[in-house]
Amino acid sequence: MTLLLYLLNILLLFGLGWLLYKQSWAQTLKPYLLPALGLKLVCGVLLGILYFHYYCEGDTITYFNASQKLTQLAYNDAGAYWRLMFYNEFPGEAFRATVPFTRFADFSNSFFLLKIISLFNLLTDSSYYLIGLYFSLFSFWGMAKLAATLSQVYPDTKKAAIIALLFFPSVVFWSSGLLKDAVMMGSMCWVMAFVLQLAHGYKRTIVTWLLLPLQLYLFVKIKIFFAALLLFLLGCFLLILWLSRTIRSLQTIKVQLLTLAGFIVAAMVIVWQMSGIFSIEFILHHLVKTYDGLLALSLGGPHLSYSSLESTIPSLVSNSPKAFFSAIYRPFIGESSEPLYLLLGLENLLLVVLTTIAIISAFSEGWTQQIKLWHVVLLLFIVASAIVIGISTPNFGTLSRYRIIFLPFLVYLLLLQNRFVQRWLK
């Protein structure tokens, strides 16, 4: 890579960061914005160092190496490259056989990520760490926007939102660098911020409306099942708040929760009657198949195991408590002597402490008056996501990465419900 191209990318990254810093919503996060952005970019670099120089293998390396084949196609045959990018038309079966994740190219989120990385290869001359910085910046954009929006809509929760989304260790680290998770968190949080603004009547620019389809597309392509769950809950939240402007009874939290419960029951009935990608049978089969595949790769180290896991509803229900608990609080300190697991154990110990104090606070007088519909929506997403991830992911290392889809919202709620932490934050 030429020095000039490297400098141009650094300038572009700096310009994008400066543009983000000058956004009106970003002023809400001062003086925490720049330290959080610096931490995010550093973590993007550290993630690459961890995989390349400690593990010497992993998803980020696989994605980067595989994307080089698409980039080479762009240099050799630009027309074939763009047909592949837009229509998934491969220049031949011989080429297709050399690229991973192409068996179901139209549905594979991993192959979709390869295409994104190949574009950044063209921009950076295949510089892994520069691409990781771009991904980290995109992730930070969405997560910072959500933290700022929460600070505006619920001002008393500002510091809790900043800590949970921008400074909680594993959330920051695993949502950085060249991974699907960075794209997922950036797009998901951006969409959540948009819905919050829409529900509470905040003005949105034309640029924001134009960006919405792109952010939705990225979120759905990267995590279709979680996107379906969260978008449904966000849709219910938006509809209930809109209806509450004209229906007085919907302005009370009890009626809002009953209405939300009705929407959920109706959705469950519809899903139960469906056949196809969102059918109950397909989802359960996919969960167990994913678990079995990862379990075979995890037997040499500490992992989560179930005595009897089958693709049936009774089996899922019986194993859900263990899956939920494990997704949040494991590995414990002492389950492994590896440095990464020790760090995870310390973080999980902090979550246990926060949860214990939050439960004690929950039984104090008047705590129910603080509940908002938004909190319940987040809680439902946390519970469902933790169960699904706990069921399908036996490897603790992978589990710690996958759970960031719900972890910042769990930390956010725990900090809100913690009287002692709230006094300290104030």
Side-chain angles (χ1 to χ4, degrees):
M1 179 180 183
T2 64
L3 179 61
L4 177 61
L5 186 57
Y6 190 90
L7 291 175
L8 288 174
N9 276 277
I10 292 295
L11 288 174
L12 179 57
L13 283 164
F14 181 83
L16 292 173
W18 179 253
L19 181 63
L20 186 153
Y21 178 78
K22 300 300 292 184
Q23 296 298 303
S24 58
W25 57 263
Q27 311 312 306
T28 308
L29 301 179
K30 291 181 177 179
Y32 310 102
L33 183 68
L34 288 181
L37 176 57
L39 176 63
K40 190 77 165 185
L41 296 177
V42 168
C43 284
V45 175
L46 292 178
L47 182 135
I49 294 174
L50 174 69
Y51 275 100
F52 274 97
H53 301 286
Y54 182 74
Y55 291 129
C56 299
E57 61 179 355
D59 289 349
T60 185
I61 298 176
T62 301
Y63 296 145
F64 180 68
N65 290 338
S67 71
Q68 302 305 312
K69 300 183 183 299
L70 275 63
T71 305
Q72 191 60 47
L73 176 65
Y75 290 136
N76 296 335
D77 189 341
Y81 172 76
W82 291 112
R83 286 193 296 273
L84 175 61
M85 293 291 287
F86 287 111
Y87 308 112
N88 285 335
E89 292 183 6
F90 290 87
E93 287 303 317
F95 175 83
R96 183 170 188 161
T98 65
V99 182
F101 315 119
T102 58
R103 182 179 179 186
F104 302 104
D106 293 334
F107 305 102
S108 172
N109 56 6
S110 294
F111 182 68
F112 175 71
L113 186 70
L114 295 188
K115 295 197 287 187
I116 295 177
I117 298 173
S118 72
L119 290 172
F120 281 96
N121 285 335
L122 298 174
L123 176 65
T124 66
D125 195 25
S126 298
S127 171
Y128 173 88
Y129 288 102
L130 279 178
I131 299 172
L133 291 177
Y134 279 110
F135 274 47
S136 299
L137 185 61
F138 176 81
S139 175
F140 182 81
W141 174 31
M143 297 175 75
K145 187 174 179 65
L146 178 56
T149 304
L150 287 170
S151 302
Q152 293 169 343
V153 176
Y154 309 115
D156 292 341
T157 73
K158 176 179 178 177
K159 291 184 179 178
I162 290 172
I163 291 173
L165 285 160
L166 304 182
F167 288 102
F168 201 75
S170 64
V171 172
V172 178
F173 185 79
W174 291 120
S175 62
S176 305
L178 201 158
L179 283 172
K180 285 186 289 189
D181 309 272
V183 180
M184 173 197 69
M185 292 299 292
S187 57
M188 178 183 74
C189 290
W190 194 98
V191 170
M192 294 175 74
F194 180 90
V195 170
L196 265 176
Q197 292 177 335
L198 193 63
H200 291 274
Y202 285 77
K203 291 183 179 180
R204 290 153 307 283
T205 63
I206 295 177
V207 174
T208 303
W209 281 103
L210 292 175
L211 286 172
L212 178 62
L214 172 63
Q215 298 284 13
L216 282 170
Y217 180 73
L218 289 173
F219 183 31
V220 172
K221 285 293 291 185
I222 294 294
K223 289 288 183 182
I224 185 170
F225 292 114
F226 292 105
L229 171 63
L230 182 58
L231 292 176
F232 166 74
L233 291 173
L234 292 177
C236 293
F237 169 77
L238 187 60
L239 181 59
I240 291 172
L241 286 197
W242 276 353
L243 292 176
S244 68
R245 296 175 184 175
T246 54
I247 303 175
R248 179 165 305 207
S249 60
L250 266 178
Q251 295 175 1
T252 64
I253 186 63
K254 291 182 179 180
V255 178
Q256 289 178 352
L257 294 181
L258 287 173
T259 306
L260 178 61
F263 288 152
I264 293 173
V265 171
M268 291 176 65
V269 172
I270 293 173
V271 172
W272 183 266
Q273 299 297 324
M274 289 176 62
S275 60
I277 193 169
F278 284 117
S279 67
I280 295 293
E281 294 80 5
F282 178 85
I283 294 173
L284 294 179
H285 173 74
H286 181 75
L287 288 178
V288 175
K289 181 180 179 180
T290 303
Y291 169 81
D292 290 337
L294 290 176
L295 181 62
L297 302 174
S298 308
L299 296 178
H303 62 276
L304 175 62
S305 60
Y306 300 96
S307 57
S308 58
L309 181 62
E310 301 174 351
S311 55
T312 62
I313 292 180
S315 178
L316 176 66
V317 171
S318 64
N319 286 293
S320 288
K322 182 177 181 179
F324 174 78
F325 181 87
S326 299
I328 297 175
Y329 302 114
R330 293 184 70 186
F332 303 127
I333 294 178
E335 290 199 66
S336 174
S337 59
E338 290 188 28
L340 177 61
Y341 288 118
L342 290 175
L343 292 174
L344 290 173
L346 288 172
E347 184 178 84
N348 291 338
L349 178 60
L350 175 60
L351 289 174
V352 171
V353 172
L354 289 176
T355 303
T356 303
I357 300 176
I359 292 174
I360 295 173
S361 299
F363 287 96
S364 62
E365 185 177 353
W367 71 274
T368 54
Q369 298 176 1
Q370 302 174 5
I371 293 180
K372 294 180 173 61
L373 181 62
W374 176 251
H375 301 155
V376 177
V377 166
L378 290 182
L379 182 61
L380 289 173
F381 181 67
I382 291 166
V383 172
S385 300
I387 291 173
V388 169
I389 292 171
I391 287 288
S392 61
T393 315
N395 179 276
F396 287 141
T398 307
L399 180 64
S400 69
R401 194 181 107 203
Y402 285 0
R403 71 174 183 169
I404 66 166
I405 196 170
F406 69 81
L407 185 58
F409 311 121
L410 174 65
V411 174
Y412 173 74
L413 293 182
L414 290 178
L415 292 177
L416 292 186
Q417 193 52 52
N418 193 320
R419 290 178 299 166
F420 305 101
V421 172
Q422 283 298 307
R423 291 171 187 167
W424 176 72
L425 291 177
K426 290 179 181 179

